[in-house]
Amino acid sequence: MKANCWMGINRVEVREVDDPKILNRRDAVVRVTSTAICGSDLHLYDGYVPTMEKGDILGHEFMGEVVEVGSGVDNLREGDRVVVPFPIACGACLMCEKGLYAACENSNPNAGMAEKLFGHPSAGIFGYSHLTGGYAGGQAEYVRVPFADVGPLKIESDLTDEQVLFLSDILPTGYMGAEFCDIKPGDVIAVWGAGPVGLFAMVSAHLLGASQVIAIDRFDYRLEMAREKAGAETINYDQVDVNEALKDMTGGRGPDACIDAVGLEAHHGFAPIHAYDRVKQAARMETERAHALRQAITCCRNGGIVSVIGVYGGMVDKFPMGAVVNRGLTIKAGQCHVHRYMRPLLERIEKGEIDPTFVITHRLPLAEAAHGYQIFKKKQEDCVKVVLSA
């Protein structure tokens, strides 16, 4: 089969690889019909996530048709149409029982590796380095799905792939980021990053009752999408001081909650500050450029909530812990526990409350995955989201 493989920093290539096979009685094999490039895939592409190996198959956002099931999978049959969550979860450990699927204790075969970096292991993730299990990803014609009796969501309506594909990651992730904010009527929510996850966090904040949503980014075409599709007011951080702008928009107090939907490769509007972190990260002296996180913390109102759904991989330099402690902020963070959000969000899609397709700007065949990564990384052609057809 053909699959999009990581071949080194800033290099991916669609190659011929071995077909996946059932390795465990709880496995299924899925023929991928649609897959997508995630913003967090760019962290792999750029070489900022360790333990990638040449030839690793990328992709954790995918859906398709079940073509084979193991003997222990009794909830799926050949021909079922499924969306697959990006975290791999056993459904039986203590974390899964608590609904914390992205912290599953049994799905990461490289747990020892993750323990050294994080203190405890994280769950396995499709196509996201050997630190998270070394599983082959879904930017491929076929993919093996472990614990298939727990993760995949059957789509039994006539909704298109594009309407439900993002249940695999970015829609639940954006929703969880808004849910973290414990939104009350009248609340103001600020969102750093008007990419796909940030846009879905904005839409979700409105669904959960926010009275005002503010998007912060530097690309005008993304801010325009935030205004038109997500009902947000906007701030271009290349043009204004974000903290002062947010104070002006909130009576001097600051947003009730701030969502970081950017993660470890953020930019800063003030060139010397951006250069400081850019050089340290490039020299591997720090793992994160945490400008958005630092700014979210310092801009949030006293006693507010900072919700972190952007991906971080290691150690953050210049972390403003003094602001967190002295102003009584609460930080909530995590990889999304996708399993628990898939069905409720599918119901919202079916009711017409959410149409996730608005983020799609590019549709490409799998064979053009390398081009998709390039335009997504460099924000060319007003790129927001690339969907690949396998």
Side-chain angles (χ1 to χ4, degrees), residues 184 186-190 210-214 246 249-250 254-258:
K184 304 291 191 305
D187 275 0
V188 179
I189 308 298
S211 66
Q212 185 182 8
V213 175
I214 302 169
L246 285 170
M249 299 166 81
T250 58
D256 297 286
C258 296

Side-chain angles (χ1 to χ4, degrees), residues 64-366:
E65 177 187 344
V66 175
V67 295
E68 187 177 2
V69 295
S71 60
V73 179
D74 57 10
N75 59 323
L76 297 176
R77 293 187 300 179
E78 291 181 23
D80 283 343
R81 188 165 169 247
V82 294
V83 179
V84 180
F86 79 83
I88 300 169
C90 73
C93 69
L94 179 62
M95 293 302 106
C96 287
E97 288 180 353
K98 290 177 177 291
L100 302 174
Y101 296 97
C104 174
E105 296 169 328
N106 290 324
S107 63
N108 187 347
N110 297 329
M113 191 185 296
E115 280 183 5
K116 290 178 181 175
L117 184 59
F118 301 137
H120 293 272
S122 57
I125 295 176
F126 291 99
Y128 213 79
S129 84
H130 292 262
L131 191 64
T132 59
Y135 291 100
Q139 290 170 10
E141 293 179 312
Y142 295 89
V143 61
R144 180 177 76 94
V145 177
F147 299 115
D149 54 330
V150 176
L153 175 70
K154 280 198 284 190
I155 304 299
E156 299 175 290
S157 64
D158 59 356
L159 291 169
T160 66
D161 277 18
E162 291 184 357
Q163 288 175 291
V164 295
L165 171 62
F166 303 138
L167 289 168
S168 59
D169 177 2
I170 57 174
L171 179 55
T173 297
Y175 188 89
M176 188 179 81
E179 190 180 69
F180 276 166
C181 297
D182 192 19
I183 296 171
K184 304 291 191 305
D187 275 0
V188 179
I189 308 298
V191 181
W192 273 256
V197 169
L199 289 163
F200 286 147
M202 296 170 207
V203 170
S204 300
H206 281 301
L207 285 172
L208 293 172
S211 66
Q212 185 182 8
V213 175
I214 302 169
I216 300 150
D217 205 299
R218 66 186 173 124
F219 295 101
D220 287 334
Y221 75 94
R222 292 187 171 210
L223 292 171
E224 182 179 351
M225 184 176 281
R227 288 191 295 271
E228 293 184 356
K229 303 295 185 180
E233 299 173 49
T234 58
I235 294 173
N236 186 326
Y237 68 78
D238 268 349
Q239 298 176 0
V240 299
D241 182 290
V242 173
N243 200 340
E244 291 303 316
L246 285 170
K247 286 177 178 175
D248 288 343
M249 299 166 81
T250 58
R253 184 168 286 131
D256 297 286
C258 296
I259 300 174
D260 170 7
V262 179
L264 66 87
E265 292 188 75
H267 291 75
H268 195 285
F270 185 54
I273 294 177
H274 178 74
Y276 173 86
D277 279 290
R278 185 73 184 84
V279 169
K280 287 191 72 174
Q281 190 185 43
R284 301 303 190 261
M285 296 171 66
E286 65 178 13
T287 55
E288 335 283 333
R289 299 197 307 265
H291 305 302
L293 176 58
R294 296 179 189 126
Q295 203 166 61
I297 289 171
T298 54
C299 290
C300 195
R301 73 156 167 82
N302 290 357
I305 294 173
V306 177
S307 164
V308 186
I309 51 175
V311 171
Y312 289 87
M315 306 297 175
V316 172
D317 189 22
K318 300 199 302 296
F319 186 81
M321 195 62 198
V324 175
V325 172
N326 290 293
R327 298 199 294 110
L329 303 179
T330 298
I331 298 177
K332 299 182 181 181
Q335 292 279 7
C336 185
H337 309 296
V338 176
H339 302 57
R340 74 186 193 206
Y341 294 102
M342 292 178 85
R343 190 166 296 282
L345 288 173
L346 174 62
E347 291 173 1
R348 285 186 180 270
I349 294 170
E350 290 172 336
K351 291 176 184 175
E353 296 175 2
I354 305 174
D355 177 9
T357 63
F358 77 87
V359 300
I360 302 171
T361 53
H362 291 73
R363 298 169 176 85
L364 298 172
L366 177 65

